[in-house]
Amino acid sequence: MAIERTFSIIKPDAVRRNLIGKILTKFEDGGLRPIALKKIQMTRAQAEGFYSVHKDRPFYGELVDQMIASPVIIQVLEGEGAILRNREIMGATNPANAAEGTIRKEFALSMGENSVHGSDAPETAAEEIRFFFSDDELVG
């Protein structure tokens, strides 16, 4: 597999519960390394823009509200097959369906507060990385 980069968010529910280190450890133990990482308070405009693909879905407003409720950790992860590997480490969106040992199985509170976000395809990863990071911030 090729070395890839993917985008990841540790969501407000996990940041509030001080799970940042535990989640980062899962990524690192899974073969991914952060090459860019920062803690931000997402603005409403950022959250609306980032999640605009879901604009017409009934959960959009709640999602935006959750993402601006408190700080998040945004990061770029790098490794072999990083996009798929990240999704395996995160687990299914619905924590009830997530495999044992995954982030969402261990830490998610609900389907809405599922602790992490990760890109789902190379094109999405590139777009999401560019949304929050400049090239000179990627220091892998």
Side-chain angles (χ1 to χ4, degrees):
M1 263 191 191
I3 299 295
E4 293 178 329
R5 291 179 174 173
T6 191
F7 180 75
S8 169
I9 300 175
I10 301 176
K11 293 182 176 182
D13 67 278
V15 173
R16 280 192 305 269
R17 291 180 291 139
N18 203 29
L19 298 172
I20 298 164
K22 290 178 181 177
I23 291 172
L24 289 175
T25 296
K26 286 206 172 275
F27 289 133
E28 290 179 327
D29 288 351
L32 301 175
R33 66 186 185 104
I35 63 163
L37 183 145
K38 54 188 168 182
K39 186 176 190 179
I40 66 167
Q41 175 67 56
M42 202 178 291
T43 66
R44 180 167 295 280
Q46 284 175 315
E48 288 174 347
F50 186 78
Y51 287 106
S52 64
V53 67
H54 300 302
K55 182 173 51 171
D56 296 326
R57 295 208 154 141
F59 61 82
Y60 175 73
E62 181 181 345
L63 175 61
V64 168
D65 289 344
Q66 285 176 354
M67 294 304 292
I68 66 171
S70 60
V72 298
I73 301 295
I74 55 173
Q75 60 186 332
V76 179
L77 301 172
E78 185 177 77
E80 287 200 27
I83 296 164
L84 179 59
R85 186 69 190 121
N86 180 37
R87 297 191 68 75
E88 292 168 349
I89 294 166
M90 288 190 309
T93 302
N94 183 343
N97 300 331
E100 291 298 326
T102 62
I103 292 169
R104 288 175 173 154
K105 187 67 165 187
E106 290 187 27
F107 303 126
L109 298 173
S110 66
M111 192 156 152
E113 290 184 307
N114 62 12
S115 300
V116 286
H117 162 88
S119 303
D120 61 0
E123 302 78 24
T124 310
E127 181 180 314
E128 291 178 343
I129 291 167
R130 278 193 310 272
F131 192 90
F132 285 107
F133 291 96
S134 64
D135 287 343
D136 64 339
E137 292 178 298
L138 307 177
V139 292

